[in-house]
Amino acid sequence: MTESTPPPPASIELKEPAPGAMPGLSVTEFLTDASLAAMCAELSQLTGLLIQLRDERGRLIVATPAGAEDADPWAIVEASEAGDIPADAERFPLVVESRRIGELVLGPGEPGVSSRAREHLSSALRRLATASAELCADVLELRHRVKELRMLFRLSSLLATRGTTVEQTLEEVLSSSLDVFDLDAGSIVLFPEDQDGVAAMDDERELIVKASSGLSRQWLDSPVPLSEGRVFDRLALDGEVITAADLQKDPRVIEPERCAMERLRSFMTAAMTFRGRPIGVIRLYGREPRQFGASESRLLRSVAEQSAAAVQQARFIVIQRRERRLEHQLRLAGNVQGRMLPERLPRLDGLALAARSVPTRLLGGDFFDMFELDGRVALVIGDVVGKGVPAALLMSAVLATLRAHAEHTGDVSELVGRVNDALVRDSQPNEFTTLWVGLIDPSTGVLTYTGAGHEPPFVVRARGGIVPRMEDVMPLGLGGLAAGVLAGESYPTLEHRLEPGDVLVAHTDGVTDAMSYDGARFGWDRLVGAALEPLATPAPGATVTAQHVLDHVMWSLRRFVGMKQQTDDETMIVARYLGG
């Protein structure tokens, strides 16, 4: 082990790498001491035959002579000094991931060596080359695993960092990838978020470059894809990791001269896929030719998948922040909307009133109003089409319009007609509202009303201690079309005289359409039954007020639907006429 190697023969310089070799992986990367080189030297002295260890470029690897201070345990003799490998020499390649990283050479030697001894030696060297290559493969796999763990740790840190933006995430992903793969340039492009991929795209400008390093603006802005027919991207989208040892010589590349101008040679790419959907592509380049192995392809696929998760995490955080801001704004808008509903109901002798609106969202589409008008009480209930912000804005417009016109007319037909014409003029064709407006004269009990496509209210006759039954319930007739549909629509005025004790119940369709977990509707019959119950069984000595009726109906509704989430707002107004 400590003896020096014999002097090398005369040399012939090797201008090109040996066949099958490619810069990027060498046996020298796996040598920690001079054991293998020293073994070759000792076998050479023992047998009298030329036995050498050469790297992938044909350079000779020798053990450093014993006693040399501060010297590496092995040294490289350039091919120009080591000499050419004899033509009749046997060569035993060290192959790792289909790449020749070096070789053992068995050349001629002392003529006294028998052919049988040489055969045994040849077999031993073949086995030694195979065993050495397997050890190198194991070491390479371990290195890749360490790289993968280091890379995944960095990506996991990105997943845990909630303040990281998409751009910051991708910059870190690209930087880490170039470091792990020891490459020189790269970019990460994302697909438009409303697309499933770029398989049908022919223009590079349709992709969004989110991160780049070592690439010129001219390269990044070029509309020409790298490969003919975008074969690189298409194969990547199919789940493959695409590699090219030399872009300037690869027949799939459209403009190899462009790669030469950018000084790009080796290349690898993979799709960034999240839950089976590609969201982008990571592209890495090297300035030198290089063959990539299976372990590097596996690592890039893992990096791409983890990167996609990190990107989606960053996107979700952005969306979450946006939703929180929007929710805050909606809550503020909901508070404003709530203030548009009457905070206090009118109090007049001979009339008890109650109302409640339960929105299913932060902003509701139902509305009600109650106010005095020329000695009478106006009762308003309505439901605008749609949900959310558009419905809330339309609801606000209807209430404001109705209040404004109510100051100038006490005729319900004219009032609803004006509201209708204003909506037709100022809203879209698909924006309309159902509406019911009634005027009660507390002194006479006369109810004057009209409807605009709204659910008909009903009156329960409950006078003079008579226990009301279903036959004592009278639905009030309908009026015209929903407001906002047709300009100039007429809304006929109807009239009903309330008797002392009668109860008027008006509601939106969210009450009758409320669903139980079994898929059953609350319906009109259950609504009427719930309104009758407190009137039929009053507490001893108690007076059943409008609020009692409203509370009982709402309690019955909640008991019916349970915890099932409803899809429509629930609004009711109740008026009990006590007599003038």
Side-chain angles (χ1 to χ4, degrees), residues 245-285:
D246 191 345
L247 291 173
Q248 298 178 25
K249 297 180 180 180
D250 196 306
R252 298 170 294 180
V253 175
I254 295 178
E255 297 180 348
E257 62 277 6
R258 190 163 64 98
C259 298
M261 291 179 60
E262 197 72 16
R263 297 188 302 112
L264 301 180
R265 304 298 293 268
S266 52
F267 170 72
M268 62 192 314
T269 182
M272 299 167 59
T273 304
F274 183 76
R275 293 181 179 175
R277 179 179 179 272
I279 66 170
V281 174
I282 181 170
R283 301 163 175 171
L284 305 178
Y285 306 88

Side-chain angles (χ1 to χ4, degrees), residues 171 174 178 183-187 211-217 219-220 261-264 285-287:
E171 290 288 349
L174 183 58
L178 294 177
L183 291 171
D184 307 294
S187 66
S212 66
S213 177
L215 298 172
S216 68
R217 194 72 255 170
W219 175 273
L220 295 173
M261 291 179 60
E262 197 72 16
R263 297 188 302 112
L264 301 180
Y285 306 88
R287 303 292 185 196

Side-chain angles (χ1 to χ4, degrees), residues 17-48:
M22 177 67 70
L25 190 62
S26 172
V27 67
T28 56
E29 299 178 28
F30 303 95
L31 299 179
T32 56
D33 56 23
S35 299
L36 188 56
M39 182 184 297
C40 291
E42 291 180 359
L43 286 174
S44 184
Q45 289 186 350
L46 180 65
T47 62

Side-chain angles (χ1 to χ4, degrees), residues 123-146:
S123 177
L125 289 177
R126 182 177 293 105
R127 295 178 185 275
L128 178 60
T130 300
S132 299
E134 290 176 351
L135 287 174
C136 292
D138 290 341
V139 171
L140 183 63
E141 179 67 20
L142 180 60
R143 289 176 182 174
H144 279 296
R145 292 299 182 187
V146 171

